[in-house]
Amino acid sequence: MPKGSEVGAFGEASAPYDEWKTFSARLQLKQASERLNQADDSMDNSKYLDFLRGVRSGIIISFGEKRYHNFIEIINNAGTDKNRFLSELLQNADDCEYIDGIEPKFTLEKTDGGLKIFYNETGFTKENVRAITSIGESTKNHILENNKSAIGEKGIGFKSVFGVARKVEIHSNGFHFSLTDKKPTIPEKCSSKKETSGTTMIFEMKEDIEKSFNPDRILKLCTCLHHLKHISIERSDVIITDNDVERIITINKIHKYEFKKYIYYFTVTDQEALDERNANMRSINPEQEIILYIPTKKSKEQEYFVYSGLPLEIKCNVPLIVDAPFELTTARDNIIENRWNSIIRSEMYQAIVSFMKSIASSKGLDILQYVGYPSKDKDGTFLWSSFENDYMNQFDWAVELKHIPFIPVIGSDSLKRYTEMSSHELFPDFILRTGAMPGIADISGKTRY
């Protein structure tokens, strides 16, 4: 910390009362962030890398070697799942900007002792280089407080690749630098590669991860990608075709998977939740969307999952796939229980309800397949099981079903809400729990639930 600065003087004055140097470290981190904010836009890429390296090295000093080592340990533990490596690379590429009119493409191929990937994005900016070498603001606080368990996705991100990779070279838009598993926040300049456009990454691997490149895994990863349309991973070539109402995924020109698509738009108005979700230097857009993908061909063997761009370890017990903007854990395979995710969970159910209403007139009782069967716990309370996750199942379908006309009436082409039913009409057994009226469980000629 420069002694001549106001921050430096304040740090020196507080030193006798700051036994663990935590306050002093926070001041130094704040100063480092301000130095990066003030970096001259006219600085060329090579000078910027030198400048950034100096700032990042200073941050390690601020943390202290032990605290920084804890951060490296978290990264290595978060990335030990070989499947996550490919997920992270696809997520990173899918989040990029692409030139209009050019098909967004991602390729991965094996090299001697490693892997090489390329995607035809617009290329790295200074902000991108800063972001990929950064430690999230909330993560800095947890590191200083030695609170490793509280670090979430914002503090790890791309760095999780170092669970299985030893080193990566990045060549993009005139930037040529490498990062290592020992110091993933310190960019080292490296020799340039011949590049035309886009981004090339060359990985030196700790172990072989080719077994994670199987077609089923690749299909699962590609189902809800937002931007990429052509993905080539070793012997699997994936083409994603979209329009407003359907998505078709074709693998190796042979296997075709078709999904109906339903898009639900909503606005997050809770400012506290928006502030909570803000990540590093990016602000979250309050205008959000949830996409439902409904497979046109269903089988008992198929498994469906909740996604946030990439699949989470949350299974859907109903035949649809949910892609929603949840905030994720460090391993990016599950969601955090916080204010933002409570809002997204609520909106997710409203998306499903909205979809069910849109098809109720043509599907009738068949819309119940998207609800999940209720069961009783030991106290006799009905539990809904749309998902294999207790946090995600906090929704009372009986309340929403009251407002949807989906029940066929014998001798009539109309559909009724179950609150409109009279005593001689037939309706599904499980809605008896609402106490609306007695009824008969067997509905002749209709799907039974």
Side-chain angles (χ1 to χ4, degrees):
M1 190 183 300
K3 292 185 177 181
S5 68
E6 292 181 4
V7 174
F10 191 35
E12 287 184 13
S14 63
Y17 313 100
D18 188 19
E19 181 180 358
W20 299 103
K21 308 298 182 185
T22 302
F23 182 66
S24 176
R26 291 184 195 278
L27 291 177
Q28 292 179 61
L29 291 170
K30 179 177 176 58
Q31 188 177 56
S33 181
E34 290 174 351
R35 286 179 65 198
L36 288 173
N37 290 339
Q38 294 167 5
D40 190 347
D41 287 338
S42 65
M43 188 182 297
D44 66 33
N45 291 350
S46 179
K47 289 181 179 179
Y48 183 78
L49 284 174
D50 287 335
F51 175 68
L52 182 63
R53 185 185 185 285
V55 174
R56 295 290 187 234
S57 297
I59 288 177
I60 295 180
I61 295 172
S62 301
F63 281 143
E65 288 291 338
K66 184 176 180 179
R67 287 179 177 136
Y68 189 75
H69 176 76
N70 288 342
F71 177 61
I72 301 305
E73 183 182 343
I74 293 167
I75 289 173
N76 288 328
N77 290 338
T80 52
D81 180 357
K82 296 178 183 179
N83 288 328
R84 184 179 175 183
F85 177 82
L86 182 56
S87 297
E88 190 59 49
L89 296 184
L90 284 170
Q91 180 76 75
N92 200 56
D94 198 51
D95 284 345
C96 293
E97 294 184 9
Y98 292 85
I99 298 172
D100 289 341
I102 296 179
E103 180 184 64
K105 184 176 182 179
F106 173 96
T107 63
L108 180 151
E109 58 187 29
K110 289 187 69 175
T111 62
D112 291 337
L115 297 170
K116 179 180 178 179
I117 71 167
F118 169 80
Y119 44 102
N120 59 343
E121 60 145 334
T122 54
F124 270 45
T125 63
K126 291 184 178 71
E127 284 190 357
N128 296 144
V129 179
R130 177 179 176 178
I132 206 170
T133 60
S134 72
I135 302 174
E137 291 303 322
S138 62
T139 301
K140 291 174 185 174
N141 292 331
H142 293 314
I143 292 173
L144 290 171
E145 295 162 5
N146 293 314
N147 188 9
K148 295 190 288 186
S149 63
I151 296 176
E153 61 168 311
K154 292 189 277 257
I156 304 298
F158 176 81
K159 299 173 194 67
S160 67
V161 302
F162 293 110
V164 293
R166 185 173 292 108
K167 178 182 177 180
V168 58
E169 283 187 15
I170 300 175
H171 305 276
S172 180
N173 196 27
F175 285 104
H176 306 278
F177 64 98
S178 64
L179 302 170
T180 67
D181 59 340
K182 302 301 182 186
K183 291 186 177 180
T185 63
I186 308 297
E188 298 285 354
K189 288 195 290 188
C190 61
S191 59
S192 63
K193 300 286 184 182
K194 183 179 179 180
E195 58 174 314
T196 52
S197 61
T199 294
T200 298
M201 296 187 182
I202 302 170
F203 291 88
E204 180 183 320
M205 305 300 292
K206 298 176 183 176
E207 52 187 308
D208 187 7
I209 62 168
E210 187 176 6
K211 290 183 180 179
S212 67
F213 299 163
N214 68 76
D216 288 342
R217 173 67 181 169
I218 291 172
L219 171 64
K220 183 179 177 182
L221 291 176
C222 293
T223 298
C224 295
L225 291 175
H226 297 159
H227 297 109
L228 291 171
K229 300 302 179 187
H230 189 176
I231 300 97
S232 180
I233 300 173
E234 285 291 278
R235 292 176 294 277
S236 295
D237 193 66
V238 182
I239 301 294
I240 299 175
T241 306
D242 268 318
N243 60 39
D244 290 341
V245 296
E246 72 175 351
R247 165 165 286 195
I248 300 173
I249 300 175
T250 306
I251 300 181
N252 294 334
K253 299 182 180 180
I254 300 173
H255 306 289
K256 184 179 287 188
Y257 304 87
E258 300 183 16
F259 302 87
K260 296 295 182 184
K261 187 166 69 172
Y262 185 83
I263 305 176
Y264 174 82
Y265 300 97
F266 63 100
T267 303
V268 178
T269 58
D270 187 322
Q271 189 58 49
E272 186 175 337
L274 289 168
D275 292 341
E276 176 185 77
R277 189 66 181 98
N278 283 343
N280 296 334
M281 293 171 289
R282 295 188 301 174
S283 294
I284 293 297
N285 190 335
E287 303 299 325
Q288 295 286 333
E289 66 180 32
I290 291 170
I291 304 178
L292 307 180
Y293 293 97
I294 303 92
T296 58
K297 294 181 181 179
K298 307 179 184 70
S299 70
K300 292 182 179 179
E301 291 74 29
Q302 279 183 292
E303 291 184 326
Y304 308 100
F305 292 85
V306 175
Y307 282 65
S308 187
L310 289 166
L312 311 182
E313 293 301 319
I314 301 175
K315 285 186 180 181
C316 302
N317 291 330
V318 295
L320 57 74
I321 294 166
V322 177
D323 183 22
F326 287 109
E327 182 172 6
L328 308 181
T329 59
T330 300
R332 280 183 144 176
D333 59 0
N334 214 323
I335 65 174
I336 298 170
E337 295 186 19
N338 62 12
R339 191 183 189 94
W340 172 268
N341 283 341
S342 293
I343 292 172
I344 302 305
R345 178 184 59 188
S346 177
E347 294 292 349
M348 175 193 70
Y349 274 105
Q350 292 309 312
I352 298 173
V353 169
S354 179
F355 165 66
M356 290 169 61
K357 287 179 178 178
S358 74
I359 63 171
S361 61
S362 60
K363 297 295 185 181
L365 285 171
D366 282 340
I367 69 169
L368 296 178
Q369 66 184 298
Y370 303 111
V371 170
Y373 295 99
S375 59
K376 288 183 180 180
D377 64 12
K378 61 182 180 181
D379 298 322
T381 303
F382 273 85
L383 304 174
W384 301 89
S385 57
S386 303
F387 304 94
E388 289 188 4
N389 179 290
D390 290 341
Y391 176 75
M392 296 288 280
N393 283 326
Q394 296 179 30
F395 185 79
D396 191 347
W397 275 107
V399 174
E400 290 295 338
L401 289 174
K402 289 180 180 179
H403 307 296
I404 306 176
F406 67 93
I407 303 175
V409 179
I410 293 176
S412 172
D413 292 332
S414 64
L415 298 172
K416 286 193 174 185
R417 299 175 179 84
Y418 71 79
T419 52
E420 300 173 331
M421 301 294 288
S422 60
S423 59
H424 66 277
E425 293 171 322
L426 310 181
F427 59 96
D429 178 53
F430 77 81
I431 61 175
L432 285 171
R433 78 182 188 86
T434 62
M437 51 172 282
I440 303 172
D442 186 7
I443 300 178
S444 179
K446 296 291 180 183
T447 304
R448 299 181 183 187
Y449 297 94

